[in-house]
């Protein structure tokens, strides 16, 4: 029996990957690095600074910037990204998300956000679902990003559960790997590319029922 749900945000609750991509592409162009939508798949679930590192390595420029300069580049990307988020509304929730969260609440199932994004509280406010969650793991408190299981272990702790008692939802391979490494049951969501190792893969949350998942 499962007793709690742990959600990734970007790609599970709402589709922000297109905004991350636009902002990273602009930033990369400005320093002479070209990235495409396929490369962007490799940034899903990866923290802001680790994403920048991957872009610099991709462009062969990993040794060209000091830490201060890298922080300035990451801040520039984030300022652009946050501008792109201003128009988010509840209509940007992915299909079935609101209904699924409401069904979880009706079944007294605690829900937690385990996202690498430092913008998660702002995005949840914009989507008007902040109240649906019992906790948000603060990514600033993590020593390692996904695929390390740390964020999922902390998410389970936040609702007084063991990872084995929770179900995790993820759209990125790094996230599915982290969920499985923590011992949680993994639901892969909206995968464009195959998600290896997930216990179930669905296109949308509309395909799932809360009582059925609790039986897993
Ligand atoms: C993850 C996204 O949810 O958050 C990544 O999938 C992103 O693409 C990461 O880099 C960090 O987000 P932010 O908002 O803190 O820059
Ligand atoms: Mg994601």
């Amino acid at each position: 029996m499962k007793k709690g749900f742990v959600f990734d945000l970007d790609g599970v609750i709402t589709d922000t990957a297109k905004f991350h991509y636009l902002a990273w592409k602009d930033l990369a162009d400005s320093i002479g690095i070209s990235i495409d939508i396929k490369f962007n798949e490799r940034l899903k679930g990866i923290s802001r600074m680790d994403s920048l590192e991957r872009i610099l390595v991709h462009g062969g420029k990993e040794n060209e910037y000091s830490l201060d300069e890298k922080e300035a580049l990451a801040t520039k990307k984030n300022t652009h990204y946050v501008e792109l988020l201003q128009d988010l509304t509840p209509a940007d929730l992915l299909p079935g998300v609101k209904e699924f969260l409401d069904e979880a609440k009706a079944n007294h199932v605690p829900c937690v956000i385990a996202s690498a994004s430092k913008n998660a509280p702002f995005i949840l406010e914009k989507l008007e679902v902040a109240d649906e969650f019992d906790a948000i793991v603060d990514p600033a408190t993590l020593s390692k990003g996904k695929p390390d299981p740390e964020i999922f272990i902390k998410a389970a702790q936040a609702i007084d559960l063991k990872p084995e008692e929770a179900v995790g939802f993820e759209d990125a391979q790094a996230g599915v790997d982290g969920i499985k490494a923590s011992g949680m049951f993994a639901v892969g969501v909206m995968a464009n590319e195959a998600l290896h190792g997930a216990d179930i893969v669905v296109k949308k949350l509309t395909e799932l029922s809360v009582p059925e998942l609790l039986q897993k």
Side-chain angles (χ1 to χ4, degrees):
M1 271 299 278
K2 304 299 180 197
K3 299 176 186 163
F5 294 148
V6 174
F7 295 89
D8 174 44
L9 173 68
D10 296 315
V12 171
I13 303 292
T14 187
D15 180 19
T16 45
K18 56 192 180 219
F19 301 135
H20 278 296
Y21 175 56
L22 277 176
W24 278 131
K25 189 165 173 46
D26 248 35
L27 193 274
D29 282 346
S30 77
I31 54 170
I33 297 175
S34 164
I35 62 168
D36 61 16
I37 196 89
K38 186 151 176 49
F39 177 82
N40 193 54
E41 287 295 315
R42 289 171 40 199
L43 305 181
K44 288 189 176 173
I46 306 301
S47 75
R48 196 180 305 163
M49 285 306 273
D50 288 350
S51 298
L52 176 62
E53 272 313 325
R54 286 192 184 196
I55 291 169
L56 293 177
V57 168
H58 177 70
K61 294 186 190 255
E62 65 272 30
N63 297 319
E64 288 190 17
Y65 297 94
S66 67
L67 184 57
D68 279 357
E69 287 167 335
K70 285 184 198 172
E71 274 168 7
L73 289 172
T75 300
K76 192 172 160 198
K77 179 268 175 177
N78 190 55
T79 303
H80 185 188
Y81 176 62
V82 170
E83 271 167 32
L84 296 170
L85 295 177
Q86 294 304 317
D87 294 335
L88 277 186
T89 72
D92 294 299
L93 284 166
L94 284 166
V97 169
K98 182 74 174 86
E99 294 75 6
F100 191 85
L101 293 172
D102 286 345
E103 200 186 351
K105 193 163 255 180
N107 283 272
H108 308 288
V109 182
C111 294
V112 190
I113 290 285
S115 167
S117 176
K118 294 182 173 159
N119 294 298
F122 172 68
I123 293 172
L124 294 173
E125 287 296 336
K126 285 287 211 185
L127 298 170
E128 296 177 17
V129 290
D131 292 348
E132 307 265 3
F133 296 96
D134 298 84
I136 301 175
V137 178
D138 179 357
T141 64
L142 302 173
S143 56
K144 288 186 185 160
K146 299 172 188 178
D148 192 274
E150 185 181 8
I151 191 168
F152 298 104
I153 294 168
K154 284 201 165 169
Q157 279 168 355
I159 46 173
D160 293 324
L161 295 179
K162 296 187 191 111
E164 294 75 18
E165 295 173 311
V167 176
F169 300 78
E170 260 290 351
D171 70 311
Q173 188 62 52
V176 170
D177 292 345
I179 292 176
K180 289 311 298 174
S182 78
M184 266 180 212
F185 185 91
V187 178
V189 185
M190 221 188 104
N192 297 327
E193 307 204 340
L195 281 178
H196 304 288
D199 295 294
I200 315 178
V201 178
V202 295
K203 282 263 173 223
K204 300 171 185 174
L205 291 194
T206 47
E207 293 168 43
L208 297 169
S209 106
V210 168
E212 264 176 44
L213 270 180
L214 295 178
Q215 300 301 321
K216 297 288 182 191

